[in-house]
Amino acid sequence: MRQWFQLIALGVVLVTQSRTGVAAEPVDFAHDVLPILRQHCATCHTNGRYEGELSLDTREAILESEVAIPGKSHESTLLERLSSDDPDVRMPAEAEPLSEEQIAIVARWIDADLPWEEGFTFKEQRYVALLKPRRPEVPTVGPSGEHPIDRFLDAYYSEYNITLPAAIDDAVFLRRVSIDLVGLLPTPDAVFAFVKDHDPQKRQHLVRALLEDREVYTQHWLTFWNDLLRNDYEGTGFIDGGRSQISHWLYQALRDNTPYDQFVRQLISPKPESEGFIKGIVWRGRVNASQVPEVQFAQNVGQVFLGLNLKCASCHDSFIDDWKLTDSYGMAAIISDKPLELHRCDKPTGEMAHAKFLFPELGTIDAAAPREERLAQLADLLTHEDNGRLTRTMVNRLWDRLMGRGLVHPVDSMGSPPWNADLLDYLACFLADHDYDLKQLLAHVATSRAYQSQSAVLEEEPIAGEFVYTGPIARRLTAEQFMDAIWQITGTGPNDPHKAIEQLVSKSKQGPTVRASLVTANLLMRSLGRPNREQVVTTRPDQLTTLEALDLSNGEILAELASQGAANLRKEHPDWDAERMIDHVYRSALSRAPTPPERELCIQLCGSPITDDGLADVLWSVFMLPEFQLIR
């Protein structure tokens, strides 16, 4: 069959020569070849869409694909496919074939060594994310005040002609910052005292006080890091030499506020108590080559610490960015105990992976070194002072967590342009300048007027590149925040945690109530979005699912918590009438008093005197309010 294609291609060349009696003149790429490629080939083989893994973006890409051999059109696969009479072989597929004249032009072009317009590419010019840190100049003081974050945003507002968002009041701020920084609702007494405090620095003092509470801070941020690091208290992978828990190490690292660069180093070049992250899941049975533990390591390190996607490039050269199969396998080879063969689309290639870092401009990995030394070298490169990708990725994750949307969105696409590059780079430098202290970064954001502004409304997801920041975006409570809030209000939290969790917190000053982050997930937490953590999870779903709606509206677990909570509240406050009880519930859940219509409706629900069922209905009604379920 191949010989038949070669004869056809050779015949095309001979026809073009016989028409003139002499060898064909060199083809004009811009006027003759480019229109053919653009009309017949570009849709499927350029600018990110590379069907059959064939890219025609540049001359170099064509040469690398080996579909066209310079000077030898009759030996080129490209001519074979264009000339074939077989509809299953001929290209373009499902379209009119090229004319004899067009095929002859392509043949002449290949025989002329594929001349190409210098600098031309079919690939659209894309944003290229910086690697090294960049220190932008802080703008002059604007209407929001001295805070550097606000100065950057004031300049942004001015550029986009955006009205400065209004500030939130003390009660809303107290609820927002308490949930964000330590995952707990403020008590009614705390709200009352904070609102009555006239100290102009009280918000700054509050932020520092929350972050200084080591236990509540740690128990809250465990959720964030357990998701990122695939750490859970049960589930797939803790068998067959696969992943292992890092719960003890993680708890202590957060409690000690371990600097982020050291935190990363201890995960990548680990001791036994912190090695669970780099150990992948050993799946039962045969799995795709892109899911072996070594390749999982490459994918997870790239995603968590550098905000990039190597999953596509673990099977073939990526269709969505510039990462190659050899990049993913190069990272995988760093941890491999044995030679690692590249598999393309799950088929062995016969080529062995060579250990290398994704950004060689920062340094190299000694492929001949023992595994432990290679991991130590990788830890050095990840935390290198010139690796601005590490700090940008981390500050973007925390901005997303506090403000509802990252400076780069999605947070795992750090090769995409940020909506404010100067602010992103400023925060990345701030983190490095302050010894990689994540608490200082959180405090810096939380004390800005930007964080303390009213929530903006994002009615629909903007088209890529068209997002305009107008203020922080309201966020849903996580499953853990939701459970902690209910346990706080109703007094129904677990006091007898699983034995393994008792061991986890036994060395700390843990209080009598265990937080949701420390317990095995129940069915309600699962439906509310707590993942099983077999994969890295950097953001949880922000849309209500049918399962969540059913569990919230008619689920046994929440109904039982409301029922138990009603009994607990009546037992704790036996002398309260309905009005006082309702006031307490609203202030506990929403940090405000009920409105007159709300109070009247809830009194009707409670009954007079209060009944357990009536109060349970009030609790459930408050838990269903978007105002309760959102961080506003």
Side-chain angles (χ1 to χ4, degrees), residues 1 15 30 69 87 152 168 172 209 239 255 259 308 354 422 493 506 521 536 541 606:
M1 181 66 72
V15 166
I69 303 174
F152 279 106
I168 53 177
V172 174
I239 53 177
R255 192 171 184 274
L308 55 87
H354 182 79
D422 285 349
S506 62
V536 167
C606 269

Side-chain angles (χ1 to χ4, degrees), residues 194-262:
F194 189 72
V195 171
K196 294 299 182 183
D197 187 350
H198 298 296
D199 183 350
Q201 298 297 312
K202 66 181 181 181
R203 294 193 179 189
Q204 290 86 332
H205 297 328
L206 172 65
V207 168
R208 285 196 295 270
L210 290 169
L211 292 172
E212 286 170 1
D213 192 326
R214 299 170 70 183
E215 302 305 334
V216 294
Y217 170 86
T218 297
Q219 291 158 18
H220 169 56
W221 286 95
L222 274 172
T223 294
F224 174 83
W225 286 108
N226 279 337
D227 283 5
L228 273 178
L229 302 178
R230 299 202 306 181
N231 183 60
D232 210 338
Y233 309 123
E234 66 173 11
T236 305
F238 301 113
I239 53 177
D240 300 336
R243 67 172 179 166
S244 56
Q245 289 183 15
I246 59 171
S247 303
H248 290 266
W249 172 85
L250 180 57
Y251 194 99
Q252 195 61 45
L254 293 177
R255 192 171 184 274
D256 293 343
N257 193 31
T258 300
Y260 183 58
D261 58 340
Q262 296 179 33

Side-chain angles (χ1 to χ4, degrees), residues 2 24 99 126 134 154 182 199 270 277 286 311 324-325 330 339 352-353 398 415 428 457 533 560 562 567 597 608:
R2 180 176 175 84
S99 66
R126 293 190 299 177
R134 181 180 73 95
D154 281 342
V182 298
D199 183 350
F277 170 69
R286 185 185 183 279
K311 293 182 179 180
K324 305 294 185 184
L325 184 67
M352 306 309 291
L398 295 183
V457 176
R533 293 169 176 151
E560 181 61 25
S608 182

Side-chain angles (χ1 to χ4, degrees), residues 469-483:
Y469 176 84
T470 57
I473 298 169
R475 292 146 286 134
R476 293 181 60 196
L477 295 174
T478 65
E480 292 83 351
Q481 288 169 331
F482 184 87
M483 296 303 300

Side-chain angles (χ1 to χ4, degrees), residues 342-363:
L342 273 70
H343 284 65
R344 185 179 297 276
C345 297
D346 209 30
K347 295 181 179 180
T349 65
E351 180 183 354
M352 306 309 291
H354 182 79
K356 66 174 184 176
F357 185 50
L358 295 167
F359 299 104
E361 53 267 53
L362 295 179

Side-chain angles (χ1 to χ4, degrees), residues 96-363:
E96 289 296 319
L98 271 65
S99 66
E100 181 180 308
E101 182 180 0
Q102 289 173 320
I103 294 174
I105 290 173
V106 175
R108 287 167 45 209
W109 173 56
I110 296 174
D111 287 328
D113 293 341
L114 292 103
W116 195 273
E117 191 77 18
E118 184 177 357
F120 174 78
T121 174
F122 280 103
K123 195 170 187 177
E124 294 178 2
Q125 295 300 310
R126 293 190 299 177
Y127 170 80
V128 178
L130 293 176
L131 176 62
K132 290 187 176 183
R134 181 180 73 95
R135 192 177 299 275
E137 182 179 351
V138 180
T140 57
V141 176
S144 298
E146 293 279 354
H147 198 294
I149 290 176
D150 296 324
R151 291 161 69 173
F152 279 106
L153 287 178
D154 281 342
Y156 178 89
Y157 295 147
S158 177
E159 178 183 355
Y160 285 88
N161 196 28
I162 296 169
T163 302
L164 182 69
I168 53 177
D169 63 33
D170 285 338
V172 174
F173 170 75
L174 176 56
R175 186 178 191 272
R176 179 189 291 183
V177 77
S178 296
I179 296 174
D180 274 340
L181 296 187
V182 298
L184 295 174
L185 295 171
T187 66
D189 288 344
V191 176
F192 180 82
F194 189 72
V195 171
K196 294 299 182 183
D197 187 350
H198 298 296
D199 183 350
Q201 298 297 312
K202 66 181 181 181
R203 294 193 179 189
Q204 290 86 332
H205 297 328
L206 172 65
V207 168
R208 285 196 295 270
L210 290 169
L211 292 172
E212 286 170 1
D213 192 326
R214 299 170 70 183
E215 302 305 334
V216 294
Y217 170 86
T218 297
Q219 291 158 18
H220 169 56
W221 286 95
L222 274 172
T223 294
F224 174 83
W225 286 108
N226 279 337
D227 283 5
L228 273 178
L229 302 178
R230 299 202 306 181
N231 183 60
D232 210 338
Y233 309 123
E234 66 173 11
T236 305
F238 301 113
I239 53 177
D240 300 336
R243 67 172 179 166
S244 56
Q245 289 183 15
I246 59 171
S247 303
H248 290 266
W249 172 85
L250 180 57
Y251 194 99
Q252 195 61 45
L254 293 177
R255 192 171 184 274
D256 293 343
N257 193 31
T258 300
Y260 183 58
D261 58 340
Q262 296 179 33
F263 183 93
V264 173
R265 293 182 63 85
Q266 291 174 30
L267 287 167
I268 300 301
S269 180
K271 295 181 179 179
E273 61 268 21
S274 62
E275 70 176 352
F277 170 69
I278 64 173
K279 294 177 68 175
I281 294 177
V282 179
W283 300 103
R284 293 276 179 100
R286 185 185 183 279
V287 299
N288 187 288
S290 65
Q291 282 301 303
V292 299
E294 296 85 356
V295 180
Q296 291 177 44
F297 166 82
Q299 295 168 355
N300 295 338
V301 170
Q303 181 178 2
V304 173
F305 302 117
L306 301 172
L308 55 87
N309 179 4
L310 290 180
K311 293 182 179 180
C312 187
S314 298
C315 191
H316 45 69
D317 292 348
S318 177
F319 298 154
I320 59 176
D321 51 38
D322 295 328
W323 298 112
K324 305 294 185 184
L325 184 67
T326 52
D327 295 321
S328 292
Y329 272 85
M331 286 286 285
I334 296 173
I335 199 174
S336 182
D337 287 319
K338 58 185 183 296
L340 190 63
E341 183 179 8
L342 273 70
H343 284 65
R344 185 179 297 276
C345 297
D346 209 30
K347 295 181 179 180
T349 65
E351 180 183 354
M352 306 309 291
H354 182 79
K356 66 174 184 176
F357 185 50
L358 295 167
F359 299 104
E361 53 267 53
L362 295 179

